[in-house]
Amino acid sequence: MARGALFDPLFGGDRVAARLDDAAWVAALVAVEVALAQAAAAHGVIPAEHADAIAAVDLDVDPAALGAAAVEGGNPVIPLVRALRAAVGPDVGPSVHPGATSQDVMDTAAVLLTGWAGEVLLDDLRGAADAAARLAAVHRDTPTMARTLGQQALPTTFGLVAAGWCAGLDRARTRLAAVLGGLPAQLGGPAGTLDGLPLPVAADLAARLGLADPGVPWHTERTRVGELAGALGVAAGACAKPATDVVLLAGTELGEVSEAAPGDSSSMPHKRNPIAAVTARASARRAPGLVAVLLAAMDGEHQRAAGAWHSEWETLADLLRATGGAASRLRTSLEGLTVHPDRMAASVPDGAGTGRAGELVDAALAAR
């Protein structure tokens, strides 16, 4: 059974996980090697016909076999390069992996995968925010009670509650999109000095893969990974907030909202659990620990980290799955959310006003 096949659909990570599986990793690694050969050829490092031959190889890679072969050297690039060199033959083989080190290929492939998964994640964040915006517009003037420290406070509108959800999701999505758009390729060679490679090769590699120019190699300068971790963690938190509110508002004693999903119980058929919001919260709660692992890995020693860099690979994929799952399940919750104005009105004192809630909703929606 594929990793995640049991739980990814439940926790919403299946769409993101499909872009992070073993086959995707292999595809990204091969894409980097091909782009590297093409960039090197464009600057006279290897013959152009060698780059063409490398690009034309239809390499059949068994991820399990590649993983087993990776144990000796500590990463899958080493056996992959051996396989590529064998596939193109002895004349072209020396032109595979020109001037690069394994970390160049692993880091660039990880960035590619992050971008592929990020497209799905941003789409679900946008969908959840749009659903919140629609709720805000429809319920601009629907009175309900604001609750502070778990107690009833003053009247507000459900539209303003939903507008707050939307604002947080939009802010998190915008920041994450900016970080994703700035992720660079990696190319520094064995010691980060680009030994044997002209400087323009790094920028050319990045351009061929649709990534940012790396500038200085970042083998042990991991601020970009830290920024990505932070942006993903914030996005997970932005999803957790409305999911938490939905769980509370759907409680039997309030009953102010309900989800379209049935939310069955195995032992209590009368229940209608807000399960999309519940699983969005569950996914989001995994994110802070994963963020912490990536932040802790920023202190790479000298010019190549011994273990810290290696700890990023699966952690980053898991964080993308957790945040992507939170966004996906929240989107499902909000797109199918039913609001019960009568239940909301029941807690609002007769004649009580809602302050400037409607104007605040208008301002929030106008600012999108």
Side-chain angles (χ1 to χ4, degrees), residues 93-122:
S95 292
V96 174
H97 198 65
T101 191
S102 295
Q103 186 172 359
D104 292 328
V105 180
M106 283 297 296
D107 278 350
T108 305
V111 168
L112 273 181
L113 284 170
T114 298
W116 297 345
E119 291 176 352
V120 174
L121 209 167
L122 292 174

Side-chain angles (χ1 to χ4, degrees), residues 13 16-17 20 110 113-115 117-118 121 176 180 228 232 290 314-326:
V16 167
L20 297 168
L113 284 170
T114 298
L121 209 167
L176 179 58
L180 289 171
L228 174 61
L232 288 168
L290 296 166
E314 288 193 302
T315 304
L316 177 57
D318 285 345
L319 179 55
L320 286 162
R321 288 167 66 240
T323 303

Side-chain angles (χ1 to χ4, degrees), residues 247-327:
V247 169
L248 293 173
L249 294 173
T252 304
E253 290 76 10
L254 292 180
E256 295 182 354
V257 301
S258 56
E259 288 186 345
D264 296 338
S265 167
S266 64
S267 59
M268 293 171 284
H270 63 281
K271 292 187 68 181
R272 185 176 180 181
N273 299 315
I275 206 64
V278 167
T279 47
R281 292 186 79 198
S283 288
R285 287 202 171 196
R286 295 181 56 219
L290 296 166
V291 171
V293 173
L294 292 174
L295 294 180
M298 290 180 64
D299 63 339
E301 321 85 285
H302 302 301
Q303 281 67 57
R304 179 85 74 251
W309 162 56
H310 304 72
S311 73
E312 293 176 352
W313 309 335
E314 288 193 302
T315 304
L316 177 57
D318 285 345
L319 179 55
L320 286 162
R321 288 167 66 240
T323 303

Side-chain angles (χ1 to χ4, degrees), residues 10-118:
L10 194 161
F11 293 110
D14 46 337
R15 282 214 305 154
V16 167
R19 300 193 176 195
L20 297 168
D21 62 12
D22 290 343
W25 263 108
V26 172
L29 291 168
V30 171
V32 174
E33 291 289 358
V34 168
L36 174 61
Q38 292 170 334
H43 296 276
V45 179
I46 64 172
E49 59 269 24
H50 286 195
D52 292 340
I54 293 167
V57 168
D58 184 14
L59 196 64
D60 184 14
V61 178
D62 176 8
L66 188 66
V71 173
E72 181 180 354
N75 71 75
V77 176
I78 296 170
L80 179 69
V81 169
R82 284 200 299 262
L84 277 171
R85 285 175 174 160
V88 297
D91 292 337
V92 178
S95 292
V96 174
H97 198 65
T101 191
S102 295
Q103 186 172 359
D104 292 328
V105 180
M106 283 297 296
D107 278 350
T108 305
V111 168
L112 273 181
L113 284 170
T114 298
W116 297 345

